Coordinates of all heavy atoms in Angstrom, one line a residue:
G1 N 99.0 100.0 124.6 CA 97.9 100.6 123.9 C 96.5 99.9 124.3 O 95.6 99.9 123.5
S2 N 96.4 99.4 125.5 CA 95.2 98.7 125.9 C 94.0 99.6 126.1 O 92.9 99.1 126.1 CB 95.5 97.9 127.1 OG 96.0 98.7 128.2
S3 N 94.3 100.9 126.3 CA 93.2 101.8 126.5 C 93.1 102.8 125.4 O 94.2 103.3 124.9 CB 93.4 102.6 127.8 OG 93.4 101.8 128.9
T4 N 91.9 103.0 124.9 CA 91.7 104.0 123.8 C 90.5 104.9 124.2 O 89.6 104.5 125.0 CB 91.4 103.3 122.5 OG1 90.4 102.4 122.6 CG2 92.7 102.6 122.0
K5 N 90.5 106.0 123.6 CA 89.3 106.9 123.8 C 89.1 107.6 122.4 O 90.0 107.8 121.6 CB 89.6 108.0 124.8 CG 89.6 107.6 126.2 CD 89.7 108.8 127.1 CE 89.6 108.4 128.6 NZ 89.8 109.6 129.5
Y6 N 87.8 107.9 122.2 CA 87.4 108.5 120.9 C 86.4 109.6 121.1 O 85.6 109.6 122.1 CB 86.8 107.4 120.0 CG 87.7 106.3 119.7 CD1 87.7 105.1 120.4 CD2 88.5 106.4 118.6 CE1 88.5 104.1 120.1 CE2 89.3 105.3 118.2 CZ 89.4 104.2 119.0 OH 90.2 103.2 118.7
A7 N 86.5 110.6 120.2 CA 85.4 111.6 120.2 C 84.1 111.0 119.9 O 84.0 110.0 119.1 CB 85.8 112.7 119.2
D8 N 83.0 111.5 120.4 CA 81.7 110.9 120.1 C 81.4 110.9 118.6 O 80.7 110.0 118.1 CB 80.6 111.7 120.8 CG 80.6 111.4 122.3 OD1 81.2 110.4 122.8 OD2 80.0 112.2 123.0
S9 N 81.9 111.9 117.9 CA 81.6 112.1 116.5 C 82.3 111.0 115.6 O 81.9 110.8 114.5 CB 82.1 113.4 116.0 OG 83.5 113.6 116.2
V10 N 83.3 110.3 116.2 CA 84.0 109.3 115.4 C 83.8 107.9 115.9 O 84.3 106.9 115.3 CB 85.5 109.6 115.2 CG1 85.6 111.0 114.6 CG2 86.2 109.4 116.5
K11 N 83.2 107.8 117.1 CA 83.1 106.5 117.8 C 82.4 105.5 116.9 O 81.3 105.8 116.4 CB 82.4 106.7 119.2 CG 82.7 105.6 120.2 CD 82.2 106.1 121.6 CE 82.9 107.3 122.1 NZ 82.4 107.7 123.5
G12 N 82.9 104.3 116.8 CA 82.3 103.2 116.0 C 82.8 103.3 114.6 O 82.5 102.3 113.8
R13 N 83.4 104.4 114.1 CA 83.9 104.5 112.8 C 85.4 104.5 112.7 O 86.0 104.0 111.7 CB 83.3 105.8 112.1 CG 81.8 105.8 112.1 CD 81.3 107.0 111.3 NE 81.7 108.3 111.9 CZ 82.5 109.2 111.2 NH1 82.9 109.0 110.0 NH2 82.8 110.4 111.8
F14 N 86.0 105.1 113.7 CA 87.5 105.3 113.7 C 88.1 104.3 114.7 O 87.5 104.1 115.8 CB 87.9 106.7 114.0 CG 87.6 107.7 113.0 CD1 86.8 107.4 111.9 CD2 88.2 109.0 113.1 CE1 86.6 108.4 110.9 CE2 87.9 110.0 112.1 CZ 87.1 109.7 111.0
T15 N 89.3 103.8 114.4 CA 90.1 103.0 115.4 C 91.5 103.4 115.3 O 92.1 103.5 114.3 CB 90.0 101.5 115.0 OG1 88.6 101.1 114.9 CG2 90.7 100.6 116.0
T16 N 92.1 103.6 116.5 CA 93.5 103.9 116.6 C 94.2 102.7 117.2 O 93.7 101.9 118.0 CB 93.8 105.1 117.5 OG1 95.2 105.5 117.4 CG2 93.4 104.9 118.9
S17 N 95.5 102.5 116.7 CA 96.3 101.4 117.2 C 97.7 101.8 117.2 O 98.1 102.8 116.6 CB 96.1 100.1 116.4 OG 96.4 100.4 115.0
R18 N 98.6 101.0 117.8 CA 100.0 101.4 117.7 C 100.8 100.1 117.5 O 100.5 99.0 118.0 CB 100.4 102.1 119.0 CG 100.4 101.3 120.3 CD 100.6 102.2 121.5 NE 101.9 102.9 121.5 CZ 102.1 104.0 122.1 NH1 101.2 104.6 122.9 NH2 103.3 104.6 122.0
D19 N 102.0 100.3 116.9 CA 103.0 99.2 116.7 C 104.3 99.8 117.2 O 105.0 100.5 116.5 CB 103.1 98.8 115.2 CG 104.0 97.6 115.0 OD1 104.9 97.4 115.8 OD2 103.9 97.0 114.0
N20 N 104.7 99.4 118.4 CA 105.8 100.0 119.0 C 107.1 99.5 118.4 O 108.2 100.2 118.4 CB 105.9 99.7 120.5 CG 104.8 100.4 121.3 OD1 104.4 101.5 121.0 ND2 104.3 99.7 122.4
A21 N 107.1 98.3 117.8 CA 108.3 97.8 117.1 C 108.6 98.7 115.9 O 109.7 98.8 115.4 CB 108.1 96.4 116.7
K22 N 107.5 99.3 115.3 CA 107.7 100.2 114.1 C 107.7 101.7 114.5 O 107.7 102.5 113.6 CB 106.6 99.9 113.1 CG 106.7 98.5 112.5 CD 105.7 98.3 111.4 CE 105.8 96.8 110.8 NZ 104.8 96.6 109.8
N23 N 107.5 102.0 115.8 CA 107.4 103.4 116.2 C 106.3 104.1 115.5 O 106.5 105.3 115.0 CB 108.7 104.1 116.0 CG 109.7 103.9 117.2 OD1 109.5 103.0 118.0 ND2 110.7 104.7 117.3
T24 N 105.2 103.5 115.3 CA 104.1 104.0 114.5 C 102.7 103.8 115.2 O 102.5 102.8 115.8 CB 104.0 103.3 113.1 OG1 105.3 103.5 112.5 CG2 103.0 103.9 112.2
V25 N 102.0 104.9 115.0 CA 100.5 104.9 115.5 C 99.7 105.1 114.3 O 100.0 105.7 113.3 CB 100.3 105.9 116.6 CG1 100.5 107.3 116.0 CG2 98.9 105.8 117.2
Y26 N 98.5 104.4 114.3 CA 97.6 104.4 113.1 C 96.2 105.0 113.5 O 95.8 104.8 114.7 CB 97.4 103.0 112.6 CG 98.7 102.3 112.2 CD1 99.3 101.4 113.1 CD2 99.3 102.5 111.0 CE1 100.5 100.8 112.7 CE2 100.5 101.9 110.6 CZ 101.1 101.1 111.5 OH 102.3 100.4 111.2
L27 N 95.6 105.5 112.5 CA 94.1 105.8 112.7 C 93.4 105.3 111.5 O 93.6 105.8 110.3 CB 94.0 107.4 112.7 CG 92.5 107.8 113.0 CD1 92.1 107.4 114.4 CD2 92.4 109.3 112.8
Q28 N 92.6 104.2 111.7 CA 91.8 103.6 110.6 C 90.5 104.4 110.6 O 89.8 104.4 111.7 CB 91.6 102.2 110.9 CG 90.7 101.5 109.9 CD 91.3 101.4 108.5 OE1 92.5 101.1 108.3 NE2 90.5 101.7 107.5
M29 N 90.1 104.9 109.5 CA 88.9 105.8 109.4 C 88.0 105.1 108.4 O 88.3 105.0 107.2 CB 89.2 107.2 109.0 CG 90.3 107.8 109.9 SD 90.6 109.6 109.5 CE 91.2 109.4 107.8
N30 N 86.8 104.6 108.9 CA 85.8 104.0 108.0 C 84.5 104.8 108.0 O 84.3 105.7 108.8 CB 85.5 102.6 108.5 CG 86.7 101.7 108.6 OD1 87.6 101.8 107.7 ND2 86.8 100.8 109.5

């Protein structure tokens, strides 16, 4: 998950991450 991309409308506010041990991807929205 070393590379990420964001839409311009959410850049700086949203962050995506993944935890492969938990088979889960996240979207933190601020």
Side-chain angles (χ1 to χ4, degrees):
S2 58
S3 294
T4 55
K5 284 186 179 179
Y6 298 93
D8 288 343
S9 59
V10 307
K11 205 170 291 184
R13 301 187 297 122
F14 290 12
T15 303
T16 188
S17 60
R18 67 190 300 158
D19 185 338
N20 293 328
K22 296 182 178 180
N23 276 17
T24 300
V25 63
Y26 303 97
L27 184 68
Q28 178 66 44
M29 305 186 296
N30 298 328

